[in-house]
Amino acid sequence: MDFMERALSLARLALGDVSPNPAVGAVIVRDGAIIAEGYTQPLGSAHAEVEALRQAGDGARGATMYVTLEPCCHFGRTPPCTEAIIESGIAEVHIATLDPNSEVSGRGKEELERGGIKTVLGEHEEEARQLNEAYIKFITTSLPFVAAKFAISLDGKIATRTGDSRWISGEESRKCVHQLRHEVDAIMVGVNTVLADDPQLTARSEEGQPFERQPLRVIVDSEARTPSTARLFGEPGRTLVATTSAASQAKVREFQEVGAEVLELLSREGQVDLEQLLRELGRREIISVMVEGGSTLFASFFKHGLVDKVIVFIAPIIIGGRGAKTAVAGEGAERIAHALRLSRVKVERFGDDAMISGYVGG
């Protein structure tokens, strides 16, 4: 068995429940068999290493631990994991990747070694870093990781000429989207998407039930055109309307009366300043944002270089029509050489749909 792979699968169970902490998995092995395992618990509770050590008890002495992220060595919301590991008598620790947090960043590994523990670094490092890509960006920049997600037809349309878009993608793709929503801290849409689709913007289980923890819903609405009767205001979880001084005070009060928070930001080219919005979300420890539309908002995010990852579901249908919308508006690239090219591209299948994901930049 690949013990680090098992630790990574445990870490994935924590995604969506532990932000702004990283999602970490740990297994403890003796004589070639797993005797204990754990993953990060909700904020303020035990880290993965401590969960596994509690389960192992005295069996940890002389055993080997596999952990997906360097154990912390500082006091935060919980005591240092390195102390617990050293005191347990663990003999060897395999670490997938170092923690870029300046309070750790190699110090956890060094502390374990000073405590007489052998360390091994780098098993499944790329997978471990991808699993915590949002945490890594946030802890090094104080900004959230931004994923742009949309569904298109084979001919690149996101709706028909009449604006109908339900449903371009199939059921399996939509289930995947709800899992992606569950794993992020915020979902963001522009006002035109709310006006056209009246979405709920919730994260739901395969049975259709809302998850207990819902991502923050963010509506980018520079002139406060969102109707206070929009369905998303009645859904579980919190809603933030990001607007500008162009919003009337009457509409601001309407939003507040239906339970939404209103955040007035600077205007940039007549629209909400997205960089200021992301800085504010980062200040609130929102470490991941999934932007779901529409085409004008996508155009602004791409134009200003604010997207980290792109996730596109492609359905095997042809919509056609000059008036049918494409996913990204704006002027677009003048030449193919200037087009945005993704790296580390992955293709997956969900029913009859294909999902293509990749990263902007290196």
Side-chain angles (χ1 to χ4, degrees), residues 26-229:
V27 298
I28 298 176
V29 176
R30 176 185 287 280
D31 299 327
I34 294 175
I35 62 169
E37 54 188 32
Y39 56 89
T40 313
Q41 298 301 296
L43 213 58
S45 301
H47 289 187
E49 301 94 320
V50 172
E51 279 285 295
L53 289 171
R54 285 174 180 169
Q55 192 180 119
D58 292 338
R61 191 161 299 278
T64 298
M65 174 181 283
Y66 292 79
V67 63
T68 58
L69 187 70
E70 180 182 16
C72 66
C73 55
H74 65 288
F75 280 90
R77 293 181 176 93
T78 58
C81 289
T82 50
E83 285 187 9
I85 294 170
I86 293 167
E87 290 171 5
S88 74
I90 286 280
E92 186 172 318
V93 176
H94 292 237
I95 302 166
T97 187
L98 296 179
D99 188 338
N101 185 340
S102 60
E103 293 185 300
V104 187
S105 195
R107 295 183 182 89
K109 178 176 177 290
E110 291 170 2
E111 193 163 307
L112 293 176
E113 290 168 345
R114 283 198 301 271
I117 296 174
K118 178 185 176 182
T119 64
V120 178
L121 178 65
E123 295 171 38
H124 292 284
E125 181 171 13
E126 185 176 340
E127 297 99 312
R129 290 183 64 83
Q130 184 175 333
L131 189 144
N132 275 308
E133 59 196 10
Y135 165 78
I136 290 170
K137 182 185 178 185
F138 174 74
I139 208 68
T140 54
T141 68
S142 299
L143 293 171
F145 183 90
V146 177
K149 187 278 299 178
F150 48 90
I152 60 173
S153 62
L154 277 178
D155 55 339
K157 307 296 186 181
I158 60 170
T160 67
R161 58 184 170 81
T162 64
D164 181 33
S165 61
R166 295 186 180 177
W167 296 101
I168 287 179
S169 57
E171 185 178 351
E172 292 302 310
S173 293
R174 296 198 296 275
K175 286 179 182 178
C176 176
V177 168
H178 279 285
Q179 182 59 36
L180 291 172
R181 286 178 174 179
H182 175 60
E183 293 175 1
V184 299
D185 291 342
I187 303 168
M188 186 182 296
V189 296
V191 59
N192 290 332
T193 295
V194 179
L195 294 173
D197 299 338
D198 195 17
Q200 293 170 283
L201 297 185
T202 51
R204 296 178 180 271
S205 67
E206 290 192 7
E207 294 74 34
Q209 297 302 310
F211 288 108
E212 183 176 349
R213 175 192 174 274
Q214 288 293 318
L216 173 69
R217 293 181 289 272
V218 181
I219 308 171
V220 181
D221 185 359
S222 57
E223 297 177 356
R225 293 186 293 128
T226 301
S228 57
T229 54

Side-chain angles (χ1 to χ4, degrees), residues 154-352:
L154 277 178
D155 55 339
K157 307 296 186 181
I158 60 170
T160 67
R161 58 184 170 81
T162 64
D164 181 33
S165 61
R166 295 186 180 177
W167 296 101
I168 287 179
S169 57
E171 185 178 351
E172 292 302 310
S173 293
R174 296 198 296 275
K175 286 179 182 178
C176 176
V177 168
H178 279 285
Q179 182 59 36
L180 291 172
R181 286 178 174 179
H182 175 60
E183 293 175 1
V184 299
D185 291 342
I187 303 168
M188 186 182 296
V189 296
V191 59
N192 290 332
T193 295
V194 179
L195 294 173
D197 299 338
D198 195 17
Q200 293 170 283
L201 297 185
T202 51
R204 296 178 180 271
S205 67
E206 290 192 7
E207 294 74 34
Q209 297 302 310
F211 288 108
E212 183 176 349
R213 175 192 174 274
Q214 288 293 318
L216 173 69
R217 293 181 289 272
V218 181
I219 308 171
V220 181
D221 185 359
S222 57
E223 297 177 356
R225 293 186 293 128
T226 301
S228 57
T229 54
R231 286 199 301 171
L232 53 80
F233 290 123
E235 293 295 323
R238 297 176 298 127
T239 301
L240 172 70
V241 181
T243 189
T244 68
S245 59
S248 73
Q249 288 306 302
K251 282 303 298 270
V252 169
R253 285 193 294 273
E254 279 186 32
F255 293 147
Q256 292 169 337
E257 285 169 4
V258 293
E261 179 187 356
V262 180
L263 178 64
E264 183 179 316
L265 298 167
L266 297 174
S267 175
R268 184 174 184 178
E269 299 171 352
Q271 299 175 334
V272 168
D273 187 324
L274 296 177
E275 292 186 52
Q276 186 186 15
L277 174 55
L278 291 178
R279 286 195 299 271
E280 174 60 24
L281 293 177
R283 190 186 67 77
R284 299 177 182 211
E285 295 190 321
I286 300 290
I287 74 169
S288 56
V289 177
M290 187 158 71
V291 183
E292 296 202 21
S295 58
T296 301
L297 186 61
F298 282 139
S300 295
F301 265 94
F302 283 115
K303 177 181 178 181
H304 297 296
L306 302 176
V307 177
D308 298 295
K309 186 176 186 178
V310 179
I311 303 169
V312 183
F313 292 89
I314 305 174
I317 59 174
I318 305 292
I319 293 177
R322 288 188 299 273
K325 283 189 174 181
T326 56
V328 183
E331 293 182 2
E334 188 174 325
R335 301 174 63 84
I336 293 297
H338 301 153
L340 186 67
R341 187 171 295 276
L342 304 182
S343 63
R344 290 179 283 154
V345 173
K346 181 163 52 171
V347 181
E348 298 177 66
R349 186 166 177 174
F350 292 90
D352 288 335

